[in-house]
Amino acid sequence: MSGSGSGSQTQAESAVYCTVNQVKEHLGLVGVEDYDGLLAWNISVASRVIDRKCRRSFVVGTEDETRLFGKCGKKRLRIDDLRQMTKIEIDTDDDGNFDLELSSTSYYLEPDNTLPKTTLVLREGNKELAAFPKYPQSIRITALWGYGAEIPEQIQQACIMIVSYLFKRKDAAYADVTGSPDLESMRLPQGLSADITLLLTGFIRPKEVLIS
């Protein structure tokens, strides 16, 4: 996902944003089990479409996870969506040993007053670290990651709509979505594309901008 993390993405890659039963209710297929496997596959595809469009995952983490970041060399570090920080460890000389644990007074997280946090910033004048190292995988962060404590309703609805569209096309080829799924390559009908884009507005993570 977005950011510079290199931790395991297995959970994010398998996360789905709606259920088969939700889609069946939307399609009027309650009680029909013939298409459950196809719907489950379409849900997985649709969830990854949403990830690519929003440049983030909406998987709901419940435990701390350690992720690696690096190649920074600046006071600001773009990170994956973070809900609660536990600790930050630094390999200051690229020897594989994380010899510095930053105190909470040496940094702050942005954006202010809202979650998730997406940027780690060193405080001016802190006595521990002048800038994040330029070395790869030199910053180790243990935290509760993720966009939020639950999947947003708009994300669920967008997933249901995409799955319903894919299901109704079940007799057509899926070549335009299986290789590199994203909204731009799916050739959605104009009205449906606009509806989904509206639902995702506000959840799309900005592209990375290099700043000092």
Side-chain angles (χ1 to χ4, degrees):
M1 296 313 349
S2 59
S4 304
S6 56
S8 172
Q9 295 297 316
T10 302
Q11 188 178 16
E13 290 171 355
S14 63
V16 294
Y17 302 145
C18 67
T19 67
V20 169
N21 285 338
Q22 286 175 321
V23 176
K24 288 166 70 171
E25 184 175 356
H26 183 78
L27 290 170
L29 294 176
V30 175
V32 178
E33 299 181 357
D34 297 6
Y35 304 109
D36 285 10
L38 176 61
L39 291 174
W41 182 80
N42 284 342
I43 288 170
S44 180
V45 170
S47 298
R48 302 293 73 77
V49 166
I50 291 171
D51 287 349
R52 289 178 61 86
K53 177 65 175 180
C54 294
R55 304 189 192 98
R56 62 177 14 129
S57 169
F58 296 91
V59 61
V60 177
T62 58
E63 297 180 353
D64 277 1
E65 177 188 346
T66 298
R67 299 186 183 182
L68 296 171
F69 300 80
K71 294 185 178 180
C72 181
K74 301 179 183 296
K75 292 181 177 293
R76 302 173 66 89
L77 175 71
R78 181 178 167 96
I79 58 175
D80 301 328
D81 291 343
L82 182 149
R83 291 159 53 199
Q84 182 175 308
M85 178 69 76
T86 299
K87 65 179 177 179
I88 305 169
E89 300 166 289
I90 308 294
D91 177 0
T92 58
D93 53 8
D94 196 27
D95 65 353
N97 178 37
F98 290 86
D99 51 297
L100 171 64
E101 181 174 344
L102 284 182
S103 64
S104 59
T105 56
S106 293
Y107 68 88
Y108 59 92
L109 294 163
E110 293 181 338
D112 298 335
N113 306 315
T114 188
L115 293 173
K117 305 299 184 182
T118 57
T119 306
L120 176 61
V121 186
L122 291 173
R123 292 187 182 277
E124 292 292 339
N126 84 83
K127 305 299 183 181
E128 295 183 311
L129 197 64
F132 291 110
K134 296 180 180 180
Y135 316 121
Q137 300 186 7
S138 58
I139 304 155
R140 186 165 68 186
I141 300 177
T142 303
L144 181 60
W145 303 93
Y147 183 87
E150 58 186 19
I151 299 170
E153 292 182 357
Q154 297 95 320
I155 299 301
Q156 290 187 23
Q157 185 60 34
C159 191
I160 291 170
M161 293 171 67
I162 295 171
V163 173
S164 299
Y165 169 73
L166 293 175
F167 176 78
K168 291 175 182 178
R169 293 182 66 254
K170 63 182 182 296
D171 296 325
Y174 284 88
D176 58 337
V177 298
T178 55
S180 181
D182 57 65
L183 289 183
E184 287 75 15
S185 69
M186 283 184 61
R187 303 172 189 168
L188 297 173
Q190 186 173 359
L192 177 61
S193 179
D195 289 343
I196 292 172
T197 298
L198 181 62
L199 285 169
L200 298 182
T201 298
F203 295 98
I204 298 174
R205 179 166 169 147
K207 292 183 179 180
E208 185 171 5
V209 177
L210 294 178
I211 48 182
S212 61

